[in-house]
Amino acid sequence: MHAVELAHPVDFEGWRAAARRMVLADARPEAVDWRVGAQAGLFGDAAAPVVPEAVRNRAFTVPKDFLELAETVVCHRDPARFALLYGLLWRLTHGDPKLLEVVSDRDVHRAEAMARAIRRDIHKMHAFVRFREREGHYLAWFEPDHFIVERAAPFFARRFANMDWSILTPDRSVHWDGETLHFTPGASRAEVPDEDALEDYWRSYYASIFNPARLKIAAMQSEMPRKYWHNLPEARLIAPLIRDAGRRAAAMVESGVTLPAPKSGRWAEAVPDVRAPEPEGGLQACRRCTLWRNATQAVPGEGPMGARLMLVGEQPGDQEDLAGRAFVGPAGQLLDRALAEAGIVRSDCYVTNAVKHFKFTPRGKRRIHQKPDAGEVEHCRWWLAEEVAAVRPRLIVALGATAGRALLRREVAVQRERGAVLRLEEGRSMLLTVHPSYLLRLPDPAAKRAEYDRFVTDLRLATSFAMTP
Amino acid sequence: MELREKLEILADAAKYDASCASSGSDRKSSAGTKDGIGSTEGMGICHAYAPDGRCISLLKILLTNFCVYDCLYCVNRRSSNVRRARFTPEEVVRLTLGFYRRNYIEGLFLSSGIIQSPDYTMEQLVRVAKMLREDHGFRGYIHLKTIPDASPELLAEAGLYADRLSINIELPSEPSLDRLAPEKDAGAIRRSMGRLRLRIEEAKSSPREPRFAPGGQSTQMIVGADGTDDRGILATSDRLYTGYRLRRVYYSAFSPIPDGSSSLPPGAPPLVREHRLYQADWLMRFYGFDAGEIVPDGGLLDLEIDPKLAWALVNRHRFPVDVNKADRESLLRVPGMGVRTVDRLLSIRRHKAVRLEDLGRLRVQIAKVAPFVTTADPQVGRSLLDRIDLRQRLAPRPAQLALPLFA
């Protein structure tokens, strides 16, 4: 039997060095007795094992996860923690290196449960410490379940950097002077003031933010167990709040309806109508088809009245729907590049879409674009006609089949009819080409390049037609 | 008016806002600063719980409960007889820092009634956040309510100081909003959410961009104030998540308010329905369910059992699932198994055959899971799946949740 004496309850380094020696000395878990400080061992004083010189420097490795787990578990109050960890170490180094992945193994499960208890204890300390201020110094009394003060303290140092504070607990205390943390032995509650100037305000807040119509006592207790209540200034309100909740909620329901306050218009009169004026002569209010229901907004066209070139796309996409502007997404960026290559300044053109609302279907986390149907295109023609009449372009470039259809009022075959100037009923001219998003979807880089060049060629033709006096 | 009285009035006015989250922002700390205070480290902390089961993480207050709008479901509407108060920005700053230093809170949630104009109101909110950050070196959490269609400059400033911004959609359908909140503009709300998403993504795309609400945006929907069914509510949530990448949609059971309006039937809030909507929302976000498959044909979620169990009971042909062979997607659909359990199972089964006792150690309710899975244990008797009374066996006994106090 080997006895190992550790310096203090959370002596992780001591445990680690001893455990390493024990593994090298082939000391089986049941033959090691772990003790803290001056605890009397079960078997009197057993000598530490002698590790032969040859193996003393033999290295062995354990997963990093295990060291993290062990460092957490040593904070637990369970006296068996060191033996449990050594048992795990033994199995890890004797043919079971992946043991920690089997979280349903009895020992792994026990260690994990301890680690969880420690994490919860630390979390609750971060949550339920309540400082009381005395002459510029902030003091708190807290009673953790386990040996966690060292592990919980850095959080308070990061958060309350410019305060002088102390947290006193029965086992250990910690102090911060604005620069360093230092630890002292346990203390008593009497060293902390029993009042604070803001506690009445805090209790007022606690009582006011509670909604008596939504009593859920079990939910409160599972997160804020009773054992913490005697150190929480607000906890004395819990019983009376619960007692009166039924009465208060019933009163709200029974008093039911009240008459409007007589002077309710008084401070509203000074305020002008706060609704934004309807932009674009009613486009935002358009309900001709149902696409408005799911879209963010209608996306109007933009550009100078009297522009010689008008570009018509299919419909706004995800980004256009959010920004409320046409061609600002990926397809818009490609269009900008192609226009520049064809010698066209985009801000000289009027840019719009055949359909003004984004049509999509939600899938997972994305909105997938859907092609507008014939009815939707037809309903939206009214707006497109308004724009054409206002802008009076020399040439309209229809980008893709939907735009072509909206302007020609028939099915179009883009690849067959593209690149030629066509006559519209109203005596206007149009030119059909592909939509830039078609170029984005082409998988083959060579085809993409070739198609892009054709697109630029179409745009060059458009500008030479539009600019010819 | 005394500061404490203002606090009572303006906290009471804020309690109908469900959100108190302080998670998911950037990491900040005051370590190594001489004059700074506060930190945000990813996970928010709940510093207290009220008897309504809600977490108290932030000082949640209104700057003022004066309001020029007359939204019928709101206790602060223009025509309400509620007592009114208004904080000065300095008072909010003093309370926030005082509470923060005593470790009562993670930070501030600041909302406001609309006074004078949307821009004026937004400007007041931004001023408080700016004072906290710039005059007091505050690095705690700030959540600002955003007034729809406030000017882009104010929005940029709000995003610079706040961790999270939120705009309440209030009601699940536009006609309901038109009826109950005549001055609110659903289009303006959607446009503002769209603008926020663009700004948040822009700021994330490059460290050179100015900071903008690293904790994202959220919203709140009131349940039970109008006639929209659960299918309609979840479809709206789905659109909000996909369209605007919201971190959270909060559901708030319509609660009787003092001084209620005659257009809304007074009654106990539908707490169970709210709870079921949250569960359904999780199924959409983390379990691969579509909004359409969660709600049964009647359009309302089952109040007695959770939506995942309800779905499994009508889709028994997809079970039992073999925990040793099934893919992640199928395991996620087993009632009683959460995302963490499924991921741990996948890791365990690489090393050993999974049995019921393994499931027990993963802290799942065996009784709930067992009918829907096969394990490495020998099968005894007929499967429970074929039993007509499976629902009765699995439905929790009533009174699990705090039911309405008075029917």
Side-chain angles (χ1 to χ4, degrees), chain A residues 176-195:
Chain A
W176 171 259
D177 55 11
E179 292 193 356
T180 48
L181 283 170
H182 53 274
F183 296 89
T184 55
S188 84
R189 181 205 303 261
E191 297 168 53
V192 172
D194 43 23
E195 268 303 315

Side-chain angles (χ1 to χ4, degrees), chain A residues 228-239:
Chain A
Y228 295 107
W229 290 12
H230 63 290
N231 289 322
L232 296 171
E234 64 273 24
R236 71 169 77 150
L237 296 177
I238 293 173

Side-chain angles (χ1 to χ4, degrees), chain A residues 326-408:
Chain A
F327 282 106
V328 291
Q333 285 155 13
L334 188 70
L335 176 66
D336 286 358
R337 220 177 80 202
L339 285 171
E341 250 178 88
I344 303 169
V345 180
R346 173 162 157 180
S347 56
D348 291 347
C349 312
Y350 186 90
V351 183
T352 188
N353 283 299
V355 172
K356 303 290 189 269
H357 280 108
F358 180 32
K359 183 181 184 181
F360 63 92
T361 177
R363 189 172 310 149
K365 292 196 171 167
R366 305 163 57 89
R367 302 193 289 179
I368 308 297
H369 157 277
Q370 281 182 299
K371 206 174 152 68
D373 64 35
E376 286 148 358
V377 173
E378 192 51 40
H379 282 304
C380 223
R381 265 185 56 81
W382 189 85
W383 293 109
L384 187 61
E386 287 282 292
E387 288 174 295
V388 172
V391 177
R392 306 169 56 93
R394 287 287 298 274
L395 179 73
I396 306 171
V397 179
L399 303 165
T402 302
R405 180 196 185 103
L407 290 158
L408 291 163

Side-chain angles (χ1 to χ4, degrees), chain A residues 100-106 108-110 112-113 116, chain B residues 323 331 336-349 352 354-366 369 375:
Chain A
L100 290 191
E101 290 179 24
V102 188
V103 282
S104 59
D105 172 272
R106 188 182 305 275
V108 176
H109 179 251
R110 230 178 104 200
E112 288 276 4
R116 251 199 321 275
Chain B
V323 295
L331 287 170
M337 295 221 290
V339 173
R340 247 188 65 173
T341 302
V342 168
D343 288 341
R344 302 183 102 187
L345 271 180
L346 294 175
S347 144
I348 293 171
R349 75 186 193 184
K352 59 171 296 200
V354 176
R355 296 173 172 275
L356 276 177
E357 65 167 350
D358 294 292
L359 290 180
R361 293 219 181 94
L362 293 179
R363 297 189 298 166
V364 301
Q365 293 178 43
I366 296 290
V369 173
T375 58

